[in-house]
Amino acid sequence: MYAFEYHRPTSVKEAAGLIGQVEDPKFLAGGHTLLPTMKLRLAGPANLIDLGQIAELRGIERSGDTLAIGAMTKHAEVANAAEVKEAIPALAELAELIGDPHVRNRGTIGGSVANNDPSADYPAACLALNATIVTNRRKIAADDFFQGIFTTALEDGEIITQIVFPIPTQAAYAKFRNPASRYALVGVFVAKHADGVRVAVTGAGSNGVFRASEIEQALSGNFAAEALDGVTVSEAEMNSDIHADAAYRAHLVSVMAGRAVQTAVARG
Amino acid sequence: MTATGIGAPVRRKEDQRFVTGQGRYVDDFNRPGQTYAYFLRSPHAHATIRSIDTGPAKIMPGVVAIFTGDDLAADKIGGLICGWMIHSKDGSPMKAGPHPALAQGKVRYVGDHVAVVIAETLAQAKDAAEAIVVDYDVLPAVVDTAQATKASVQVHDVSPDNTVFNWHLGNKDETEAAFARAKHVTKIDLVNNRLVPNAIEPRAAVGEYDFGTDNYTLYTTSQNPHVARLVLSAFIGVAPEHKLRVIAPDVGGGFGSKIFIYAEETVCVWAAKKVKRPVKWTSDRSEAFLSDAHGRDHVTHAEMATDENGKIIGLRVHTTANLGAYLSTFSSSVPTYLYAPLLSGQYDIPAIYCEVDAVYTNTAPVDAYRGAGRPEATFVVERLVEKTARELGQDPAEFRRRNYITQFPHATPVIMTYDTGDYAASLDKALEIADYKNFQQRKQESARRGKLRGIGFSSYIEACGIAPSQAVGSLGAGVGLWESAEVRVNPTGSVEVLTGSHSHGQGHETTFAQLVSDRLGISIDQVSIVHGDTDKVQFGMGTYGSRSGAVGMSAIAKAIDKVIAKGKKVAAHVLEASEGDIEFKDGRFGVAGTDRSLAFGEVALQAYIAHKFSGQDLEPGLKEGAFYDPTNFTFPAGVHICEVEIDPDTGVTSIQRWTAVDDFGVIINPMIVEGQVHGGIAQGVGQALLEGAFYDQSGQLITASFNDYCMPRAIDLPSFQVGMTVTPCPSNPLGIKGCGEAGAIAAPPAVINAITDALGHEDIAMPATPQAVWRAAQKARMPMAAE
Amino acid sequence: MTTVSLTVNGQSVTADVDPRTLLVQFLRDNLRLTGTHVGCDTSQCGACVIHLNGQAVKSCTVLAVQANASVVTTIEGIAEGGELHPMQAAFREHHGLQCGYCTPGMIMSAIDIVNRKGNALDEQTIRAELEGNLCRCTGYHNIVKAVAAGAQGMAQAPMRQAAE
């Protein structure tokens, strides 16, 4: 790890203020992507601003037909929260599938969303649930937020404060894990909303998380696994690596979508 | 059997420290004034070094020294060696290229050692390493095993076509004749995938030099500290043997990868004198992936001939073995004498011929990894046997049974003489445990759920102990492969056993104590096992090749016999009886036919106070040593059966049942033996389903972390059903055959045979990842379109 | 340098550290608690697992400064008065370790599993929950048995569980 200065602000305002004052800053959330990257010397911020002591960034709250989750809420907290299990059980299940128990005890939803790793799980939930990413400056619709691999609408120094999820009628997430890393080789989040079906795919796309329009169309008339019989997704936009080539990923998108729908329907 | 004697599942003595965090591994040692070493490694697979500028780095904070290959050469430090000479078919010796501990003019794989930075902290050493400027002339790389000899790239000057040797074993003419009269010939092409050993403890070394005594000390993660000392002194020339102390304390797993003598420990011990301070190096996992010796990496074509009765009459094998960029310590023995002699498997095959071409490539050195050669041989034999049985329409179990060797001793056409075994007994027991007779029902039940179920056999044999010395010497080994032991009886009757074996997970502190307890009739709490320190144990050959029981414990047994013989002399004097009348039984020396006797501890005390005999009649003291060299290799064998279920929609293979029935001869501690079987199976399953080291065409390792190299996790494995059969080994006094490698040898073909059975066709490579299995399942569904 | 104060195995500790010091380095190098091990650099192997404020975390992926004002428990801190923690005892009794290197992390993870999932653990739960811990020696067979038995043992020693 390269040397850096460490800052431990206790409010969003203080954290945001530091941005203008120090050189080459980086926010530290759960640290489970950033710290390994820094250990391998692939990142070397001069100033690390730890968001871990900011109480206002934590917490889960349901109000009406939305569920708001503070950016520094840990995966394990989302997985175990009664409010989440009640409102959007698919989201709790997704959180339970991230990394391993130790990772879930440190990693945060805000960190995951801000990083937009192409094989991270939360971006699929945000996109399929039509979430709003709330920052210290504005509110960003998920459709606008995710802009390609490790790229988001966040501006320099902008801090995610919470993610607000509309509560769907039915939803589920099916993940096919990369056997080695446990990230999503393919993860499909399906959500039936009052105004339509949204399906988001992570892990598979060569340009990061995306909505699968073929599958959305198939499910919009009939939200059932059978509706996906014969529905294929194009492999043209799929990622290819030593673990899975584009054709296999495209195939898995259909399979995982079917399994997610089955789970969602079975849950009622 | 006593509660702590031979055959008892004694709980391990060493575990108290391990479960409380009190184990002491190399990285836990910190010496006063210690500095930290960091190795600058080549980012290129193949390059000439035009220049190295360490100037800017040397003035960075905390830097103590920076050394390159020139500094080692100036001190006349020799290169790393390969200690097993192989001769090609034409009689010429293998072509061994130079292997300097720090590169001299050329780098030959990504991770090759270019320079070492020694600094006050590790972070400072890493900071400075980035400031070293190396001017590389990057050359094309050769990485592909099968293409190495055809490449225009030349890894070493001594080998224009990258061939290390062209070796063979067996009888070519007889084998050709067998194929000529065969009724049926089965052919197969196999890749035995390259693996990274990945002991969870990374390698580490601390070098230290005492100017007052001119003594060097090296703490190192070694499976064989005495061999390390011998190589470092006699061949590399870092320090004289009698001035170098090598300590291998608690070691966190080895699996072969910690046998070898590497660049890092060489540099640490040498540099400690240069910088006049202790030098510590600890590998991180990324370095381990690049620079620990890898395992396997064979490309093989093999054919099996059968006659009209379904009897195997011939086997011919051609293998290309990738040895990487340099010849590691025992690398040349692995695809030769640890491989081809096992190609007869458990079968009576009258004619076998095997050719092995070993090649250099711009990849990490390849050497022994759990099983070393024997897993590769077993994969060839067991895949071919399974395929042959299928082609002949025979039950794979019965086809094996029909071809088993049943008379012992049995001399194979590939220089081994199997001493004993009962292969059918293991098969019968395995079939029963695996509930083979109801397999078809289970297969149908899976089919109803849309799943493919398959069953696979592996009827393996291995040659363990890696001895006798005379035999291995005749095959090219640079050392003898006996073992030593010293049994020191204290005046209070407690016992210290000094052994040349080394425990890095095998539980020697317990099993060796059980032997002593059993033989001397004392509590195992009265026994301590001393190992891993060349200042304490005079010499030893270390632990690998499942040899610590068969060879190491036999040496202890031999020394115990001498202790008892001496004890009888002492007792005779004390009890005023003739030596011939003294019996040793249940821990007491007694006069035959009387009730006069002395406890073992009383005799020990009498031996040391020496009041009852004169020094002319008998030497005081009670301490005996022994060197033991067995009369043959040992031949553990068994049958493993793997049952899998495949999800054809995703290609995910899940292991539903695992049956292992092994014959390890006499077992000292069944709990520990079963644990060894479990661990071996996990590594074999890892090879078959999950693990594979892959380089891209430029020579970059693309599976260089646990993110891309898939290690077996708990969820990937089932619980194992383990059974034993016993035919005592006649080649050592304890009847032990060895158990450390069996699982890793048996497992890969069992898994692949099960998958191919489920899929209904043979074309699947290791690792059989979900993608590979899905694709194969697609092919199985559409046989016409696939080709 | 940044000042960090925390409680480790019941003892208060304060030190000035380079901010880039990982918690595992702080434990091993500053406090000489070498029972916590490092087996990888990508946050996967779990040899470094400790409890941070009662939760299992990988101490190789936490900065020492992030643990300020926290309570840390390591493998050295779970036996009481010379008596092994029930999970330690279970690993010994069921031969849940060979080389011992992954063992501290395994045991700390196992205790955490019991704390979260209770004392009656089936095989599949244990295997799934051991996702973040690699062992190269045992094939996990006996680790699974040890965790199940240790979970039972912890039920019989409720006071010990509460203390953790």
Side-chain angles (χ1 to χ4, degrees):
Chain A
M1 215 177 269
Y2 295 107
F4 56 84
E5 290 287 318
Y6 175 76
H7 308 271
R8 193 188 289 143
T10 54
S11 70
V12 173
K13 196 174 168 206
E14 188 190 344
L18 279 165
I19 287 295
Q21 297 165 24
V22 300
E23 246 181 88
D24 183 25
K26 189 97 185 164
F27 293 121
L28 175 66
H32 273 53
T33 299
L34 182 57
L35 292 176
T37 311
M38 289 171 67
K39 281 160 67 178
L40 296 172
R41 292 187 168 222
L42 301 172
N47 285 276
L48 203 57
I49 302 170
D50 183 359
L51 304 176
Q53 300 301 312
I54 304 176
E56 63 191 285
L57 290 178
R58 286 200 296 272
I60 299 168
E61 197 180 342
R62 178 174 181 170
S63 63
D65 48 11
T66 63
L67 184 72
I69 301 180
M72 287 297 288
T73 308
K74 290 165 179 162
H75 306 325
E77 292 167 343
V78 174
N80 294 314
E83 304 93 314
V84 182
K85 288 180 176 175
E86 165 77 29
I88 316 178
L91 195 59
E93 288 162 9
L94 175 146
E96 185 71 20
L97 290 171
I98 300 173
D100 59 48
H102 321 111
V103 171
R104 294 195 286 274
N105 279 336
R106 293 294 294 172
T108 64
I109 186 169
S112 171
V113 170
N115 191 47
N116 192 19
D117 186 300
S119 48
D121 301 289
Y122 271 126
C126 291
L127 211 49
L129 291 170
N130 197 18
T132 301
I133 288 79
V134 183
T135 77
N136 59 336
R137 298 178 192 167
R138 55 187 168 139
K139 293 179 178 178
I140 310 167
D143 281 324
D144 302 324
F145 184 85
F146 300 104
Q147 300 184 346
I149 296 174
F150 298 110
T151 310
T152 68
L154 288 173
E155 297 161 355
D156 280 352
E158 191 171 11
I159 300 169
I160 299 176
T161 56
Q162 59 175 202
I163 323 274
V164 180
F165 295 96
I167 296 169
T169 324
Q170 289 176 313
Y173 180 62
K175 175 176 182 176
F176 191 93
R177 285 175 158 154
N178 175 318
S181 73
R182 311 318 243 192
Y183 274 92
L185 198 71
V186 169
V188 180
F189 201 109
V190 299
K192 186 180 177 195
H193 301 268
D195 57 351
V197 174
R198 290 171 67 101
V199 176
V201 178
T202 187
S206 55
N207 200 31
V209 66
F210 68 96
R211 284 175 63 184
S213 52
E214 307 95 320
I215 296 173
E216 289 184 353
Q217 277 161 20
L219 293 174
S220 60
N222 177 19
F223 193 72
E226 306 86 77
L228 295 177
D229 284 348
V231 176
T232 57
V233 295
S234 163
E235 58 184 85
E237 302 291 311
M238 294 290 157
N239 189 16
S240 187
D241 58 29
I242 54 163
H243 303 287
D245 62 21
Y248 180 55
R249 275 191 163 92
H251 167 77
L252 283 180
V253 170
S254 301
V255 174
M256 291 295 117
R259 291 183 183 182
V261 172
Q262 263 179 351
T263 306
V265 169
R267 186 161 27 227
Chain B
M1 183 175 89
T2 66
T4 60
I6 291 174
V10 178
R11 299 305 183 260
R12 300 204 316 173
K13 297 178 71 175
E14 46 271 79
D15 286 357
Q16 178 71 23
R17 70 175 183 276
F18 291 136
V19 299
T20 55
Q22 303 301 319
R24 290 205 83 194
Y25 302 87
V26 172
D27 190 56
D28 301 339
F29 286 81
N30 291 292
R31 307 300 299 159
Q34 163 182 300
T35 61
Y36 294 83
Y38 180 72
F39 287 84
L40 178 67
R41 295 174 185 277
S42 172
H44 306 295
H46 198 194
T48 305
I49 298 173
R50 288 202 197 95
S51 64
I52 304 175
D53 181 5
T54 60
K58 272 184 173 158
I59 56 173
M60 287 186 60
V63 173
V64 175
I66 298 177
F67 299 113
T68 67
D70 289 347
D71 299 297
L72 283 171
D75 277 8
K76 298 192 164 47
I77 302 300
L80 309 180
I81 61 150
C82 179
W84 197 302
M85 171 54 74
I86 297 297
H87 288 85
S88 284
K89 293 173 201 167
D90 64 6
S92 63
M94 66 184 185
K95 300 184 175 76
H99 189 180
L102 295 173
Q104 289 174 358
K106 204 175 179 197
V107 286
R108 295 182 173 86
Y109 68 102
V110 172
D112 206 351
H113 314 71
V114 175
V116 62
V117 181
I118 296 164
E120 299 292 343
T121 71
L122 179 59
Q124 288 171 330
K126 287 186 180 183
D127 290 344
E130 290 189 6
I132 296 174
V133 181
V134 185
D135 184 7
Y136 293 104
D137 180 12
V138 180
L139 305 169
V142 54
V143 297
D144 189 274
T145 307
Q147 301 301 319
T149 59
K150 298 170 201 127
S152 56
V153 177
Q154 188 177 340
V155 181
H156 286 281
D157 294 344
V158 294
S159 175
D161 68 348
N162 298 319
T163 293
V164 185
F165 52 75
N166 304 113
W167 175 88
H168 66 161
L169 189 71
N171 189 314
K172 188 176 183 179
D173 295 340
E174 286 176 23
T175 305
E176 294 308 322
F179 274 83
R181 67 181 173 85
K183 179 83 188 323
H184 183 83
V185 173
T186 300
K187 301 178 181 183
I188 201 161
D189 287 289
L190 298 168
V191 173
N192 205 287
N193 43 326
R194 178 183 277 243
L195 303 175
V196 182
N198 279 324
I200 303 297
E201 180 205 26
R203 290 189 293 119
V206 184
E208 195 172 8
Y209 178 71
D210 183 329
F211 279 85
T213 59
D214 190 32
N215 284 334
Y216 297 77
T217 303
L218 171 65
Y219 298 83
T220 183
T221 48
S222 176
Q223 299 177 218
N224 46 346
H226 292 86
V227 176
R229 182 174 71 152
L230 177 65
V231 171
L232 286 166
S233 59
F235 297 94
I236 303 176
V238 167
E241 191 172 14
H242 63 295
K243 290 292 186 185
L244 175 59
R245 177 184 185 185
V246 177
I247 299 171
D250 287 331
V251 171
F255 316 112
S257 68
K258 292 171 180 168
I259 297 171
F260 323 123
I261 290 75
Y262 288 91
E264 292 88 356
E265 57 256 31
T266 303
V267 169
C268 282
V269 69
W270 166 78
K273 185 176 182 183
K274 302 287 282 187
V275 303
K276 302 184 173 64
R277 291 168 64 181
V279 176
K280 180 177 191 172
W281 170 78
T282 302
S283 175
D284 58 34
R285 182 59 56 189
S286 296
E287 290 180 280
F289 268 102
L290 295 179
S291 68
D292 288 3
H294 293 178
R296 318 283 192 254
D297 205 340
H298 284 196
V299 176
T300 294
H301 175 79
E303 302 181 358
M304 182 168 273
T306 38
D307 68 12
E308 58 282 1
N309 300 316
K311 171 84 184 62
I312 304 168
I313 55 171
L315 173 66
R316 59 186 172 204
V317 178
H318 182 278
T319 292
T320 304
N322 188 346
L323 297 184
Y326 300 99
L327 298 185
S328 174
T329 316
F330 289 111
S331 58
S332 54
S333 67
V334 177
T336 52
Y337 289 109
L338 297 180
Y339 171 64
L342 277 304
L343 286 171
S344 196
Q346 297 185 356
Y347 310 104
D348 182 9
I349 307 177
I352 301 175
Y353 180 63
C354 175
E355 293 173 290
V356 178
D357 298 335
V359 297
Y360 286 116
T361 58
N362 294 111
T363 62
V366 178
D367 206 326
Y369 167 64
R370 200 171 194 167
R374 290 150 290 170
E376 296 90 317
T378 301
F379 193 63
V380 172
V381 174
E382 288 304 294
R383 284 289 292 120
L384 256 181
V385 164
E386 191 86 18
K387 193 172 180 222
T388 302
R390 288 172 186 167
E391 288 179 359
L392 297 178
Q394 295 191 13
D395 178 274
E398 295 314 308
F399 178 74
R400 284 176 168 83
R401 189 195 302 280
R402 186 168 307 134
N403 282 285
Y404 277 158
I405 293 161
T406 54
Q407 302 294 316
F408 297 91
H410 173 87
T412 72
V414 277
I415 68 170
M416 285 291 163
T417 300
Y418 298 169
D419 48 11
T420 185
D422 185 347
Y423 308 142
S426 293
L427 179 65
D428 288 338
K429 195 162 183 177
L431 290 172
E432 188 190 326
I433 295 174
D435 188 25
Y436 184 57
K437 65 179 188 296
N438 290 315
F439 170 71
Q440 287 304 330
Q441 261 171 275
R442 297 193 292 277
K443 189 177 173 79
Q444 285 160 15
E445 194 277 324
S446 293
R448 279 194 290 275
R449 290 183 286 106
K451 303 288 198 290
L452 308 171
R453 188 175 279 257
I455 196 162
F457 291 81
S458 178
S459 203
Y460 76 95
I461 193 164
E462 47 175 334
C464 292
I466 320 294
S469 300
Q470 210 171 32
V472 297
S474 73
L475 304 179
V479 289
L481 287 167
W482 41 265
E483 195 46 271
S484 79
E486 187 176 311
V487 175
R488 296 179 180 172
V489 184
N490 296 316
T492 57
S494 63
V495 172
E496 286 147 54
V497 176
L498 285 70
T499 169
S501 300
H502 185 277
S503 186
H504 30 278
Q506 295 88 343
H508 294 172
E509 287 169 54
T510 305
T511 41
F512 289 9
Q514 284 180 254
L515 170 63
V516 177
S517 169
D518 196 273
R519 288 292 166 93
L520 295 181
I522 60 175
S523 158
I524 61 167
D525 298 332
Q526 291 291 301
V527 184
S528 67
I529 305 298
V530 178
H531 69 99
D533 184 342
T534 60
D535 261 15
K536 293 179 179 168
V537 178
Q538 184 241 331
F539 206 93
M541 297 313 299
T543 290
Y544 38 82
S546 307
R547 68 194 309 274
S548 298
V551 191
M553 287 182 82
S554 292
I556 296 171
K558 192 174 166 188
I560 289 172
D561 289 343
K562 292 184 186 177
V563 164
I564 293 170
K566 173 77 178 284
K568 283 182 179 173
K569 288 187 169 64
V570 174
H573 283 282
V574 177
L575 295 170
E576 297 177 336
S578 86
E579 190 189 329
D581 290 339
I582 303 291
E583 294 173 338
F584 182 67
K585 201 168 164 240
D586 299 331
R588 297 189 76 83
F589 291 92
V591 183
T594 75
D595 60 357
R596 289 187 299 142
S597 70
L598 295 167
F600 179 76
E602 292 174 294
V603 169
L605 182 64
Q606 290 296 336
Y608 283 95
I609 62 176
H611 293 170
K612 301 286 188 181
F613 51 88
S614 79
Q616 283 73 45
D617 294 335
L618 189 62
E619 271 185 37
L622 193 53
K623 179 188 85 167
E624 298 291 342
F627 288 77
Y628 175 74
D629 208 339
T631 57
N632 194 355
F633 288 82
T634 67
F635 297 96
V639 174
H640 287 218
I641 302 176
C642 170
E643 195 168 318
V644 300
E645 190 178 83
I646 293 169
D647 176 350
D649 290 336
T650 59
V652 169
T653 300
S654 73
I655 297 174
Q656 300 290 311
R657 283 169 177 248
W658 196 285
T659 304
V661 175
D662 301 287
D663 177 0
F664 298 133
V666 172
I667 286 169
I668 307 295
N669 184 323
M671 177 191 80
I672 287 175
V673 167
E674 287 183 18
Q676 289 290 314
V677 173
H678 300 155
I681 295 169
Q683 281 173 322
V685 169
Q687 168 162 32
L689 290 180
L690 308 168
E691 301 179 41
F694 297 100
Y695 287 86
D696 69 14
Q697 285 308 305
S698 73
Q700 295 293 330
L701 182 64
I702 48 179
T703 48
S705 82
F706 291 150
N707 276 320
D708 287 310
Y709 186 93
C710 187
M711 292 280 281
R713 289 175 169 86
I715 196 73
D716 299 318
L717 296 161
S719 282
F720 309 110
Q721 293 170 291
V722 176
M724 302 283 171
T725 59
V726 177
T727 58
C729 177
S731 308
N732 63 66
L734 298 173
I736 296 172
K737 295 185 181 179
C739 64
E741 298 159 293
I745 293 168
V751 175
I752 300 300
N753 286 339
I755 291 175
T756 51
D757 179 50
L759 294 174
H761 77 86
E762 301 288 337
D763 188 15
I764 185 99
M766 297 193 291
T769 61
Q771 170 173 265
V773 172
W774 171 72
R775 192 144 281 140
Q778 298 291 104
K779 204 163 153 182
R781 282 172 174 173
M782 301 175 288
M784 298 305 286
E787 307 299 326
Chain C
M1 299 297 253
T2 302
T3 300
V4 58
S5 293
L6 63 161
T7 303
V8 179
N9 298 334
Q11 307 271 316
S12 297
V13 212
T14 299
D16 288 331
V17 297
D18 182 339
R20 60 175 155 170
T21 306
L22 298 169
L23 180 56
V24 68
Q25 293 170 326
F26 181 74
L27 295 170
R28 289 180 54 79
D29 299 343
N30 292 54
L31 305 183
R32 292 283 187 257
L33 292 170
T34 54
T36 302
H37 298 148
V38 178
C40 77
D41 44 18
T42 49
S43 315
Q44 275 150 323
C45 80
C48 66
V49 170
I50 53 111
H51 292 186
L52 180 64
N53 297 325
Q55 292 182 321
V57 304
K58 286 175 169 158
S59 63
C60 74
T61 316
V62 178
L63 298 170
V65 291
Q66 284 180 288
N68 187 56
S70 298
V71 175
V72 167
T73 305
T74 72
I75 189 69
E76 291 93 342
I78 57 170
E80 275 178 25
E83 194 191 333
L84 295 179
H85 184 283
M87 192 59 77
Q88 291 172 309
F91 268 70
R92 184 177 192 277
E93 177 62 25
H94 294 276
H95 190 31
L97 63 148
Q98 291 182 23
C99 80
Y101 197 79
C102 75
T103 309
M106 282 285 177
I107 290 174
M108 298 309 285
S109 292
I111 294 169
D112 181 67
I113 295 169
V114 180
N115 289 343
R116 289 184 291 110
K117 300 273 174 182
N119 300 91
L121 297 172
D122 62 42
E123 179 178 342
Q124 276 312 299
T125 301
I126 294 168
R127 288 184 182 274
E129 289 291 331
L130 287 174
E131 178 106 42
N133 292 83
L134 297 178
C135 169
R136 195 57 151 166
C137 294
T138 64
Y140 303 99
H141 180 108
N142 285 337
I143 290 177
V144 173
K145 278 165 60 179
V147 174
Q152 295 289 333
M154 284 169 69
Q156 283 145 27
M159 296 307 290
R160 299 286 304 274
Q161 192 178 354
E164 167 50 31

